[in-house]
Amino acid sequence: MNALSLLHSVERFARFVLRWVPTLAGITMAALALCLGPAAGQDLLPPAPYAYRQLDDPKQEAKAQALMETLRCLKCQGQSIADSDASMAGDMRHQVRTRIAAGESPEAIRAWMIERYGDYVSYKPELSTTTWPLFALPLLLIALAALILGRRLGGRGK
Amino acid sequence: MIRGRIFLWGLVALTAGLFGLFAYQLSQPKDEFIQSTMIGKPIPPFDLPPSVPERPGLASGDLADGQPKLLNVFASWCVPCIAEAPNLARLEAAGANIVGIAIRDRSQDTEFFLRQNGNPFSRIGRDDISAVQLSIGSSGVPETFVIDGQGIIRYQHIGDIRDSDVALLLEKLKEAGA
Amino acid sequence: MIAELGLAALWLATALAGLQLLGGVLGQRESGADLAALVRPAAVMQALLCAFAFGTLVLLFARTDLSVALVAQNSHSEKPLIFKIAGPWGNHEGSMLLWITVMSLAGGLIALVERRLPEKTLLATLAAQAFVGLGFYAFLLVSSNPFERLDPAPAQGLGLNPLLQDIGLAMHPPTLYCGYVGLSVAFSFAVGALLTRQVTPDFARVIRPWVLGAWIFLTLGITAGSYWAYYELGWGGWWFWDPTENASLMPWLAATALLHSVSVLAARDALRTWTILLGVVAFSMSMVGTFLVRSGVVTSVHAFAVDPQRGTFILVLLTIYIGGALVLFATRAGTIAEGERFTVMSREGALVINNVALSALLGIVLLGTLYPLLTEAFGVKVSVGPPYFNPVGAVFLMPMLAVLAVGPLLRWRRDSFARIRLPVLAAFAVGLAVLLGMWLIAGMALLPLLGMAMAAVVGIGSVLPLLGRSLRRLPLATLGMVVAHFGVAVALFGMAADSAFSIEKLVAARQGDTTEVGPWRVTLASVEPVAGPNWTALEARLSASYRGGAPSEIKPQARSFWAPPQQTSESALLTRWNGQLYTVIGGEADGDRWQLRLWWKPFVTWIWYGGALIALGGLLALIGRLRTDLKRRTVRARVAARRMEAAA
């Protein structure tokens, strides 16, 4: 293979790659579209009864809302189920609201979700063998901050 | 001063670790799947009405009748479900008992889908609000679970069943039957 | 021809950056004096060439030259001219060119005007800048050439995604890049000072405008981004602790800390090594942020320009620059003499507490953002969200805010609490009253309650420095500080009020139905189909009246785009001084009813007013500092001229 044909094939490869860039961007946008709302590849059924309907008791609704804000949408993974139009998020909101209405406690519902999907589904990390550094490091930071402030500022006043 | 020096090199080490983590994650294919954590647990009780007239509905009791089964979570509006249809047919031909749950699907749409792509299911339950799907830790369609004769979830396959997955699923089914 | 000229200019600029680096390094010795003399002209020339190259790209986009691959992929002859001109940075290649252009312009400016630092320190700084620049040039020329030709040229371009044809989004990347480049300049100065061991108050005065400028841009970027998410995502949330948002917050936290430590260094010659470290950290955070957003290693709502290969390139640059700078810092830090001492009850003392708290906050955000990435490496998926960030962040934020209210009242070096006891106690008494009152009357949750009380304390504390001073003789920089601190109080109040008093109503409404949302009565008049250039929509005509007043009409839409097929909710807002009515139309409910989502969000707009005030305060301070610097410059020049006369 001489240098010219090598150049040509490099150029062809580059053009091939360039042709696919918009497609990739399109796929990304489509993935986002999945989260934003139903489009192609989405179901035709109406949302679950309590997906977009609040509980009558404002106290229960507040509890449900607080819980929904801390549960992660499984379909569009960057949002809570309280912030998503995906139909699965709606179905999860239905679960939360009906269970709250039936008298279940928010933390029991969270535990129910975690039992099925693991820690991923909850934005509120629980203290466990996998998450202890999340809580230990802030404590360490406080200790470190106190140490630095103490050394920097303490006792050198007069 | 020595202690300060140690602190500084600690910072350098921490940064190096961070960059190492970045490099490792870049080299890994991004895994967007969320595995069910119900593997090894009995399937929660449920009773779904039939989705189409020609097949009975599905209840948790049907999954604990002594025979291991494949539980396929699907929908007519899901494109990969069309892609996996031939492989579901192959699994059925190989002797697998496949039951289905149609997620958020109107009966007429499910019927049309089955007419187009074949019907490998012995039972199909209709889940309009994804309640059973949520209760077994499934996060999308299609997904396929291996359930043993006692109704215990043994294995989960996420996404459409590719040609290469057929043998694996049969193997898992055999393990569940033993 | 134009594209080739642009590319040639880019290559020339790269060569000059190489020369600048060489001159800056060799010029440190006496033998390299000839090369050293070339450094400043090289930096200026490089800036001109880059500006020229960027100009050619803008021209190519303006003329829709489809024989250029980048134009063909991202533009369309039918696009409005303003979006054609904004075209160059709506894509990866063009935005990298914009980045390097802004960076070289900054370098050219420094080379042209900066005379305050020892020459060797300046040379080392420009060398560091060229070194950083070379990485980006390599990135651009090797893997993302914006001037690539397409042969044969297509008949029509592919166009820009309609969602991105938004003036706010067109301005977003340049704003961010200006912020990042400003931090890269601070980084270069820090490396230069480290290399020549010249960490002086002059160094602080030189980098202060750059840090301030970067900080203003970052503040604006975060504020605008938050408002965009608020009205675009359609659920009324304004901050989600999403990785992309955290990626923008981390450089801001570091820059805020740097800004304050720089003023300690400038005024009192203290905190030398700490300031240098922050200079390195601030730029690192902007690079880490860029990496997180562009590489796609974290899952985010806003993941647009994801490409693992670019991620690899950014990671390599990150390792070279940040790793290198940290190693340099670790070896050199011990040799830099410690600065002046001070007591806790002093301005510096307060600023040290501020710095420690900001750094800890930065650590928390970094930890929470990256922890899921860490566990994923071990096969475990976890999520870290608001229930973690809010309370843990508050632990560090609240003491910092308390100090913010007091710090500006303290004198440098040493002060006594007795001197400022009265106003401080008054401010905290008001805060306590707000705390108790709100708790008894409104029964607020703990975090918003603390936020509300602290907003009162900071609000009063921030204006106390004005007491007994004539506004006319007040230095602009001091006024800027007061405005920015007051902005913090305003934003905090907005956050607390929104999270405590927001009212949400989800209804399935028929035509003519009226819903009450807090003080508003909202009636659904009708639902009409409407069409735009590339979408159709259902538009709800709502008539809303505040406490029985005259009704106003608002029209939220549910839009369907067809290329690419996608549905979005266009929320409609009614803004009053004391909050916003936020309306969204969802889908059709059963039969003849429509899903409406309505919120009354008291004082929510104060969040962004606060952000704008913070940026305005920064701008005032920047103008004030630059004016003082210019004055000093003329005085110096005059003194020098007089000396010359006297000698003659």
Side-chain angles (χ1 to χ4, degrees):
Chain A
M1 198 198 272
N2 61 23
L4 202 65
S5 72
L6 182 76
L7 266 179
H8 268 291
S9 48
V10 167
E11 189 196 336
R12 214 172 316 140
F13 175 72
R15 211 169 289 160
F16 172 80
V17 170
L18 284 175
R19 189 153 358 113
W20 281 96
V21 167
T23 319
L24 286 176
I27 291 172
T28 319
M29 292 304 295
L32 194 76
L34 272 182
C35 308
L36 289 178
Q42 277 292 9
D43 61 284
L44 297 165
L45 280 187
Y50 280 94
Y52 291 95
R53 190 172 143 201
Q54 290 166 303
L55 293 170
D56 294 328
D57 178 356
K59 265 196 187 147
Q60 285 190 336
E61 173 63 22
K63 262 201 238 170
Q65 182 67 26
L67 175 62
M68 290 186 301
E69 278 166 13
T70 66
L71 290 177
R72 190 166 192 163
C73 171
L74 298 163
K75 190 136 192 183
C76 42
Q77 302 175 354
Q79 285 165 299
S80 79
I81 60 170
D83 299 318
S84 172
D85 271 318
S87 51
M88 194 173 193
D91 291 339
M92 288 170 80
R93 288 199 295 274
H94 174 83
Q95 288 289 327
V96 169
R97 285 204 174 101
T98 47
R99 280 162 189 271
I100 293 270
E104 248 183 88
S105 81
E107 286 314 305
I109 301 170
R110 187 195 305 283
W112 187 87
M113 289 284 180
I114 291 176
E115 194 188 345
R116 271 133 192 95
Y117 294 100
D119 287 329
Y120 186 82
V121 76
S122 167
Y123 271 123
K124 181 182 172 189
E126 310 282 330
L127 188 57
S128 75
T129 46
T130 47
T131 58
W132 62 267
L134 274 175
F135 301 92
L137 281 171
L139 290 178
L140 191 72
L141 273 178
I142 292 176
L144 204 66
L147 190 79
I148 291 176
L149 290 179
R151 279 188 55 187
R152 204 66 231 184
L153 303 172
R156 291 203 186 122
K158 303 286 147 64
Chain B
M1 215 63 255
I2 301 258
R3 214 181 305 160
R5 196 65 64 84
I6 291 170
F7 173 73
L8 288 175
W9 285 108
L11 199 67
V12 173
L14 206 66
T15 315
L18 193 65
F19 291 172
L21 176 66
F22 286 167
Y24 175 76
Q25 288 293 359
L26 266 180
S27 68
Q28 295 305 104
K30 182 79 185 148
D31 173 22
E32 297 285 1
F33 293 145
I34 302 143
Q35 302 283 341
S36 168
T37 44
M38 291 292 280
I39 312 297
K41 293 179 192 164
I43 201 148
F46 66 89
D47 189 2
L48 290 176
S51 162
V52 290
E54 56 265 30
R55 291 286 188 279
L58 185 68
S60 44
D62 303 326
L63 290 166
D65 61 357
Q67 190 201 5
K69 292 184 186 62
L70 288 182
L71 170 62
N72 183 245
V73 182
F74 76 103
S76 70
W77 44 264
C78 129
V79 181
C81 297
I82 300 171
E84 74 170 1
N87 284 329
L88 276 178
R90 278 169 62 194
L91 283 165
E92 192 204 13
N97 186 346
I98 308 174
V99 295
I101 296 180
I103 303 296
R104 304 191 62 85
D105 220 0
R106 300 186 302 184
S107 286
Q108 65 261 41
D109 296 333
T110 315
E111 245 176 290
F112 183 75
F113 173 85
L114 296 175
R115 224 177 302 136
Q116 292 284 308
N117 303 295
N119 184 349
F121 303 109
S122 59
R123 289 171 172 273
I124 306 176
R126 176 177 165 154
D127 189 359
D128 283 357
I129 53 168
S130 318
V132 177
Q133 188 185 20
L134 290 172
S135 79
I136 58 175
S138 154
S139 49
V141 278
E143 282 185 20
T144 307
F145 291 81
V146 175
I147 318 279
D148 73 9
Q150 281 71 53
I152 293 171
I153 303 172
R154 287 301 173 192
Y155 182 73
Q156 178 195 28
H157 176 84
I158 300 177
D160 54 327
I161 301 169
R162 304 279 165 86
D163 298 345
S164 52
D165 300 324
V166 172
L168 178 70
L169 278 171
L170 285 173
E171 177 64 26
K172 292 285 174 190
L173 204 55
K174 213 161 123 197
E175 278 171 28
Chain C
M1 191 58 201
I2 300 177
E4 280 67 35
L5 277 177
L7 188 58
L10 211 52
W11 276 105
L12 261 178
T14 312
L16 282 171
L19 180 67
Q20 186 180 328
L21 173 62
L22 207 66
V25 172
L26 295 181
Q28 296 295 324
R29 296 208 192 121
E30 294 307 321
S31 57
D34 297 344
L35 269 172
L38 288 175
V39 168
R40 281 187 197 246
V44 176
M45 198 58 214
Q46 188 196 333
L48 293 178
L49 283 168
C50 261
F52 175 79
F54 190 71
T56 57
L57 192 64
V58 173
L59 190 64
L60 289 171
F61 267 89
R63 291 174 30 168
T64 321
D65 185 341
L66 295 171
S67 70
V68 176
L70 192 67
V71 179
Q73 273 141 23
N74 294 290
S75 198
H76 193 285
S77 55
E78 301 293 315
K79 212 162 68 163
L81 184 65
I82 173 82
F83 292 119
K84 279 187 189 170
I85 290 175
W89 56 85
N91 55 77
H92 167 72
E93 288 83 357
S95 60
M96 285 324 280
L97 182 58
L98 175 66
W99 176 308
I100 192 73
T101 303
V102 180
M103 199 161 139
S104 65
L105 283 175
L109 192 63
I110 294 167
L112 216 52
V113 302
E114 198 48 72
R115 308 267 171 216
R116 278 171 288 181
L117 289 180
E119 192 60 19
K120 280 193 177 157
T121 306
L122 192 82
L123 284 182
T125 302
L126 286 174
Q129 246 238 328
F131 187 58
V132 174
L134 276 172
F136 286 90
Y137 282 119
F139 195 4
L140 207 57
L141 290 171
V142 173
S143 82
S144 30
N145 175 10
F147 297 107
E148 180 84 43
R149 286 280 188 185
L150 210 54
D151 186 34
Q156 189 48 277
L158 291 172
L160 179 67
N161 186 315
L163 276 187
L164 299 179
Q165 287 189 30
D166 176 295
I167 193 68
L169 278 185
M171 292 317 297
H172 189 58
T175 310
L176 266 183
Y177 290 164
C178 287
Y180 290 172
V181 167
L183 293 183
S184 87
V185 171
F187 173 81
S188 299
F189 273 115
V191 170
L194 209 50
L195 282 171
T196 52
R197 297 187 177 87
Q198 292 288 332
V199 188
T200 58
D202 263 336
F203 158 80
R205 279 183 211 117
V206 168
I207 73 165
R208 181 153 55 190
W210 295 101
V211 177
L212 251 174
W215 183 78
I216 295 166
F217 279 113
L218 292 176
T219 308
L220 285 176
I222 293 176
T223 309
S226 155
Y227 191 69
W228 182 81
Y230 169 75
Y231 80 74
E232 197 64 28
L233 293 181
W235 288 89
W238 46 267
W239 191 264
F240 301 93
W241 293 106
D242 178 85
T244 305
E245 293 166 348
N246 294 351
S248 71
L249 184 64
M250 289 188 289
W252 184 85
L253 287 171
T256 311
L258 178 60
L259 192 62
H260 290 88
S261 83
V262 157
S263 47
V264 174
L265 182 55
R268 292 280 305 130
D269 196 13
L271 301 185
R272 288 179 181 168
T273 43
W274 177 249
T275 305
I276 296 284
L277 179 62
L278 277 180
V280 173
V281 167
F283 181 55
S284 321
M285 284 306 139
S286 53
M287 291 278 286
V288 167
T290 312
F291 170 79
L292 287 179
V293 174
R294 294 265 160 149
S295 68
V297 295
V298 290
T299 311
S300 154
V301 219
H302 316 274
F304 280 100
V306 168
D307 181 344
Q309 224 171 2
R310 287 171 197 164
T312 311
F313 210 111
I314 300 175
L315 183 58
V316 170
L317 294 185
L318 199 64
T319 314
I320 297 173
Y321 300 149
I322 307 312
L326 279 179
V327 169
L328 182 70
F329 181 78
T331 47
R332 284 284 166 92
T335 65
I336 291 168
E338 225 177 305
E340 296 287 322
R341 306 216 166 272
F342 45 82
T343 71
V344 64
M345 199 39 87
S346 67
R347 181 78 71 85
E348 299 97 306
L351 285 169
V352 165
I353 297 175
N354 144 305
N355 259 256
V356 168
L358 277 169
S359 311
L361 269 174
L362 176 63
I364 298 295
V365 177
L366 192 66
L367 175 68
T369 310
L370 295 180
Y371 198 75
L373 206 62
L374 181 69
T375 59
E376 212 175 290
F378 297 100
V380 182
K381 287 195 169 198
V382 297
S383 299
V384 181
Y388 176 78
F389 287 110
N390 287 343
V392 178
V395 168
F396 295 93
L397 186 67
M398 290 302 158
M400 187 181 90
L401 290 174
V403 173
L404 187 159
V406 180
L409 299 173
L410 292 167
R411 288 186 184 141
W412 292 107
R413 207 161 155 210
R414 188 186 301 171
D415 203 347
S416 69
F417 184 67
R419 193 179 64 82
I420 55 165
R421 184 171 6 185
L422 200 66
V424 167
L425 285 184
F428 278 90
V430 172
L432 196 65
V434 169
L435 189 85
L436 287 176
M438 284 293 169
W439 184 53
L440 289 175
I441 298 166
M444 287 162 73
L446 180 66
L447 277 186
L449 191 64
L450 280 176
M452 195 74 90
M454 214 36 110
V457 176
V458 173
I460 296 170
S462 63
V463 294
L464 284 180
L466 297 180
L467 274 187
R469 295 179 75 158
S470 112
L471 268 182
R472 200 174 312 155
R473 259 194 262 154
L474 194 70
L476 214 46
T478 309
L479 184 65
M481 175 195 75
V482 168
V483 170
H485 285 174
F486 190 69
V488 172
V490 171
L492 192 64
F493 173 71
M495 294 172 196
D498 176 58
S499 74
F501 302 126
S502 256
I503 295 172
E504 178 183 42
K505 276 284 161 68
L506 308 175
V507 289
R510 283 196 184 79
Q511 280 193 12
D513 280 0
T514 298
T515 314
E516 280 195 31
V517 198
W520 292 88
R521 286 172 66 85
V522 181
T523 308
L524 177 64
S526 65
V527 177
E528 312 282 346
V530 290
N534 48 4
W535 47 266
T536 53
L538 284 172
E539 186 179 271
R541 308 276 159 87
L542 301 174
S543 125
S545 103
Y546 182 81
R547 295 200 194 286
S552 327
E553 194 185 44
I554 44 171
K555 306 167 181 172
Q557 293 177 343
R559 279 190 194 169
S560 311
F561 288 83
W562 54 75
Q566 182 172 337
Q567 297 214 335
T568 63
S569 312
E570 294 293 308
S571 54
L573 309 170
L574 262 184
T575 309
R576 288 176 50 87
W577 69 273
N578 62 348
Q580 258 177 344
L581 176 69
Y582 187 113
T583 65
V584 175
I585 175 173
E588 195 174 351
D590 45 45
D592 53 348
R593 296 197 297 179
W594 303 89
Q595 284 292 349
L596 292 181
R597 306 204 291 262
L598 312 169
W599 282 271
W600 164 237
K601 297 186 144 286
F603 300 104
V604 69
T605 42
W606 288 38
I607 298 171
W608 305 292
Y609 296 152
L613 274 179
I614 295 173
L616 175 71
L619 186 66
L620 289 176
L622 181 62
I623 294 172
R625 295 292 181 204
L626 287 179
R627 232 170 43 181
T628 328
D629 284 353
L630 279 180
K631 239 182 248 165
R632 260 195 210 138
R633 213 180 144 96
T634 30
V635 168
R636 254 188 231 174
R638 227 176 271 156
V639 169
R642 221 169 274 161
R643 252 186 227 144
M644 292 270 277
E645 267 171 41

